[in-house]
Amino acid sequence: MTTPHPDQSPVAPILAVEDLCIAFVSRDGIVRAVDGVSWQLRPAEMLGIVGESGCGKSVTAMSVLKLLPGPPAMYSSGSIRFRGEELLTASEARMRQLRGNAISMIFQDPMTSLNPVLTIGEQIAEVLILHQNLSKRAAWNRAGEMLDLVGIPDPRQRLRDYPHQFSGGMRQRAMISLALACNPAVLIADEPTTALDVTIQAQIMELLARLRREMGTAIVLITHDLGVVAECCDRVVVMYAGNKVEEADVSALFSRPCHPYTRGLLAAMPGLDVAADAGHRRLAEIPGMLPSLKQAAVGCRFAPRCAAAQERCHGTIPELAPVAREAPDHLAACFRAGEAYRGELA
Amino acid sequence: MDTPMISRLEQRIERLRQQPRAIRFAARNPVLVAGSLLLLGILLLALFAPWIASHDPTEMNVIERLKPPSAEFLLGTDALGRDIFSRTLYGARVSLLVGVSVALLSALIGIFVGTVAGFNRLADKLIMRVMDGMMAIPGILLAVALMTLIHASISTVVIAIALPEIPRVVRLVRSLVLTIREQPYIQAAQAMGTRFPLVLIRHVIPNLLTPLIVQASFIWASAMIFEAYLSFLGAGTPPEVPSWGNMMAEGRSVVQLAFGIILYPGIFLGLTVLAVNLVGDGLRDLLDPRIARKL
């Protein structure tokens, strides 16, 4: 049930991250949290960024809005362009104009991302007054419409409620309405459903998909839930240890995962029998742990955990490249991606 | 679902709805309302002291000294023949003025200094060491020293009482700021493009206020007590000012002849402190949206 991929004509990307490197400087070393990651987001597209905890997903997302605190975070190289405008060198004042207005963000935990002492209405109205110069009354009315849009019953009444009077799902809806109040071109959703139970997750994802259709918002969905990605996204970027290891259309990624890490992630997914050996009852796991990001890589970061690793994997870093001539859009950073694509890898 | 129970509850809600708003408010916040009424009463007495008082509080009348309560002297007279009732009323002015000033002064300075400390690491180190130093000085010694250095007046009393309170408020504010600034809603506010000063005013300070108001009310109450015992020790308000502490100090030597000189200011002091504490508790319950309301 994937949405059809937007046509292949070269639509200018609305958000382009190129060769982004982010390091955290601490007393006992430099942690390369994001190491040369690139991706593009086209208008009205939903891009999924997946990977396990600590692989640099959230750091990438926060960096787009430049919300990482100065030291320790350091942007060592790369560029982030929004509609062609470089954000890494943009002034703080310019960033403030963009935040919440052109680029919005929703956070993982709706329980704590709303201010407990302000009403829901005050918080939504605040963004509108800030960015759209609306009067208090107009902002309040618009806030009511926003709550209605995200499906909260009796919205005008609920504007006067405090966050604690909302349930978790409702708070995430309120958060989404807050993020979308100024009709942003890009919405960054950092694990928007992680803190919610499964039925609410489905509702929230459906809501995001609907708002994308209706408002044409491009969405970057950061998650470790591959099921959500399969359901909603157009393209997927798989990250491992600060690197992009694979990128493909969602259907290509799920039918022919080429990087061993992606294959491991899919095998570790319960329910869907994508894994090679479907008879297995126990969930597959990827052995080992994320490597420390303090040392510079000498070989493939994933090699120590990889079943298909060869001699060369430990000594040379595999370049990100198309997995096959006939699939130029399907990139993977693995020496054996071609074999995997052709189904020659066990 | 137990239907008779639900319908009984619904009837009860309906009955509650029909009550006037003021009564509903009082029923929900009995502590706050009781405290406020008591405090309001004392405040009015203090405010209208010139009209209520039967005598000039400083007028001496040696012939009428140490009189028991009578129609002319409602609460009797002291060793210099001054009317205790009038002096007690005027004493309320001093006490309330000192209490409110100390609470406001230490709260305002505390918010400012504590917020700076909470957001700036360098300033934090400096400020907190200074505060540690201030806390190491016993409040009463500091007060006595200030009193002797600067000539005694109500404003020196206020400063002397406020100084030892400031580190406590700064510590409270700083620790609150340290937790609040890490809250996701602060980051969310920044992600919405809110300027830092506005984040402070809209998101950080309102989250400080509830604990701070409670703290300020306790400071107010303790400042009144502190003022009384500074005056009682002769290190507070100058002796010509009719403050409760001064009255009790003067009554000490004649307590066996006229117990009222100590008793009445003492009762008023106790009642005022109680009222302020009740208001503080009531406000805490009212202001915290996380505390569930009664029906």
Side-chain angles (χ1 to χ4, degrees):
Chain A
M1 264 184 294
T2 54
T3 19
H5 183 254
D7 54 0
Q8 283 299 307
S9 64
V11 187
I14 190 157
L15 187 67
V17 172
E18 246 164 68
D19 193 32
L20 184 69
C21 292
I22 300 167
F24 288 95
V25 185
S26 76
R27 211 167 289 177
D28 31 54
I30 294 170
V31 177
R32 295 163 186 81
V34 175
D35 199 358
V37 167
S38 310
W39 44 263
Q40 296 185 338
L41 182 70
R42 296 187 194 88
E45 186 184 35
M46 197 188 283
L47 175 79
I49 299 182
V50 294
E52 67 195 281
S53 306
C55 70
K57 306 179 303 250
S58 296
V59 172
T60 313
M62 301 283 285
S63 68
V64 172
L65 283 174
K66 291 215 292 184
L67 282 174
L68 296 169
M74 215 177 69
Y75 302 92
S76 44
S77 74
S79 88
I80 299 172
R81 278 198 305 278
F82 172 70
R83 288 182 173 139
E85 181 186 350
E86 179 58 56
L87 295 187
L88 283 187
T89 53
S91 69
E92 183 57 24
R94 176 68 186 138
M95 287 312 299
R96 271 202 307 272
Q97 283 175 1
L98 293 175
R99 286 178 197 145
N101 194 17
I103 308 175
S104 256
M105 189 156 177
I106 50 181
F107 293 88
Q108 181 174 348
D109 189 357
M111 297 302 172
T112 51
S113 40
L114 291 164
N115 188 339
V117 301
L118 298 178
T119 62
I120 300 288
E122 282 172 329
Q123 301 191 47
I124 302 176
E126 181 182 319
V127 188
L128 289 162
I129 294 168
L130 194 70
H131 290 299
Q132 312 223 314
N133 284 323
L134 291 185
S135 68
K136 262 204 165 130
R137 176 176 289 269
W140 191 264
N141 286 334
R142 178 97 180 94
E145 289 166 23
M146 286 312 298
L147 277 195
D148 193 29
L149 186 70
V150 296
I152 286 180
D154 204 2
R156 307 229 17 117
Q157 202 59 42
R158 301 312 296 256
L159 282 178
R160 282 193 199 84
D161 282 357
Y162 287 93
H164 75 276
Q165 289 161 299
F166 274 38
S167 71
M170 283 164 76
R171 278 190 230 186
Q172 195 59 294
R173 282 165 194 269
M175 204 56 218
I176 290 172
S177 72
L178 188 71
L180 294 181
C182 297
N183 203 357
V186 175
L187 176 71
I188 297 165
D190 188 358
E191 308 204 17
T193 57
T194 306
L196 305 171
D197 69 60
V198 187
T199 46
I200 307 296
Q201 271 184 23
Q203 291 176 13
I204 294 291
M205 288 317 300
E206 206 166 289
L207 172 67
L208 282 178
R210 177 167 69 82
L211 292 174
R212 174 169 78 120
R213 276 198 308 277
E214 285 173 11
M215 302 171 76
T217 316
I219 299 177
V220 180
L221 180 74
I222 292 163
T223 180
H224 49 240
D225 189 340
L226 286 166
V228 166
V229 169
E231 189 90 13
C232 306
C233 293
D234 303 315
R235 281 181 78 73
V236 191
V237 168
V238 181
M239 284 185 72
Y240 180 76
N243 296 303
K244 180 169 90 172
V245 294
E246 187 162 2
E247 178 179 354
D249 287 353
V250 74
S251 53
L253 189 93
F254 279 86
S255 57
R256 280 179 165 180
C258 291
H259 194 282
Y261 179 63
T262 317
R263 292 156 66 92
L265 278 186
L266 289 173
M269 227 166 102
L272 293 173
D273 287 338
V274 211
D277 38 6
H280 252 253
R281 275 279 160 260
R282 211 179 125 80
L283 280 180
E285 57 189 293
I286 304 176
M289 293 193 320
L290 268 175
S292 160
L293 300 180
K294 278 177 192 145
Q295 287 90 39
V298 280
C300 173
R301 288 272 199 201
F302 188 62
R305 300 171 71 181
C306 180
Q310 298 168 324
E311 195 64 40
R312 55 179 170 170
C313 299
H314 296 282
T316 8
I317 302 171
E319 292 288 321
L320 199 67
V323 291
R325 194 156 295 148
E326 63 268 29
D329 269 0
H330 190 159
L331 309 175
C334 179
F335 293 120
R336 308 188 70 183
E339 292 170 57
Y341 183 77
R342 292 187 297 276
E344 291 162 10
L345 208 64
Chain B
M1 199 81 75
D2 187 49
T3 329
M5 190 181 144
I6 294 289
S7 68
R8 269 206 309 279
L9 276 172
E10 271 171 350
Q11 282 166 14
R12 210 179 129 206
I13 292 170
E14 199 43 52
R15 272 204 310 281
L16 284 170
R17 277 223 180 101
Q18 282 161 3
Q19 288 173 344
R21 286 191 70 137
I23 290 179
R24 248 159 70 201
F25 184 82
R28 272 188 188 183
N29 309 287
V31 173
L32 179 63
V33 171
S36 311
L37 286 179
L38 189 56
L39 189 61
L40 187 73
I42 296 167
L43 218 85
L44 288 176
L45 283 182
L47 214 61
F48 294 107
W51 291 275
I52 303 170
S54 47
H55 294 77
D56 182 333
T58 52
E59 182 196 291
M60 291 181 234
N61 189 347
V62 189
I63 302 163
E64 302 281 0
R65 63 200 292 260
L66 299 174
K67 281 276 146 65
S70 64
E72 197 195 347
F73 303 104
L74 273 179
L75 300 177
T77 61
D78 68 4
L80 296 171
R82 294 174 295 196
D83 181 36
I84 295 176
F85 175 65
S86 310
R87 286 177 70 74
T88 306
L89 290 185
Y90 278 91
R93 293 185 144 193
V94 178
S95 202
L96 288 171
L97 183 69
V98 169
V100 172
S101 313
V102 168
L104 278 181
L105 193 70
S106 48
L108 288 179
I109 295 178
I111 286 187
F112 181 75
V113 178
T115 310
V116 171
F119 273 100
N120 186 309
R121 287 174 91 179
L122 191 71
D124 181 39
K125 282 184 184 140
L126 216 82
I127 289 170
M128 291 326 284
R129 292 302 77 75
V130 172
M131 292 301 144
D132 286 347
M134 279 170 77
M135 283 188 110
I137 303 169
I140 190 132
L141 279 189
L142 182 69
V144 173
L146 274 174
M147 287 299 111
T148 46
L149 283 175
I150 323 164
H151 120 99
S153 72
I154 289 183
S155 51
T156 49
V157 175
V158 169
I159 294 170
I161 300 173
L163 268 181
E165 296 288 355
I166 287 171
R168 276 180 262 278
V169 184
V170 169
R171 285 192 152 197
L172 173 75
V173 171
R174 171 184 174 270
S175 69
L176 289 168
V177 167
L178 285 181
T179 49
I180 292 169
R181 68 164 205 191
E182 299 302 328
Q183 291 295 312
Y185 57 81
I186 298 297
Q187 200 173 44
Q190 280 171 329
M192 294 303 161
T194 315
R195 284 168 172 278
F196 182 69
L198 198 64
V199 172
L200 271 187
I201 295 167
R202 289 274 293 175
H203 298 277
V204 178
I205 292 182
N207 277 292
L208 290 174
L209 279 186
T210 303
L212 198 66
I213 285 173
V214 177
Q215 182 75 10
S217 74
F218 294 137
I219 289 176
W220 176 356
S222 79
M224 291 191 301
I225 294 178
F226 206 59
E227 184 275 329
Y229 73 65
L230 277 183
S231 301
F232 187 80
L233 294 174
T237 43
E240 69 271 16
V241 177
S243 83
W244 290 337
N246 282 340
M247 291 174 69
M248 288 191 267
E250 289 154 10
R252 193 172 53 96
S253 52
V254 289
V255 68
Q256 281 159 326
L257 297 171
F259 190 59
I261 308 179
I262 286 186
L263 181 67
Y264 299 117
I267 286 176
F268 267 81
L269 179 64
L271 280 179
T272 315
V273 170
L274 176 69
V276 173
N277 279 335
L278 288 180
V279 170
D281 276 348
L283 278 179
R284 182 188 54 203
D285 295 352
L286 180 73
L287 290 178
D288 194 339
R290 284 161 297 197
I291 290 181
R293 299 278 157 73
K294 274 190 280 180
L295 204 62

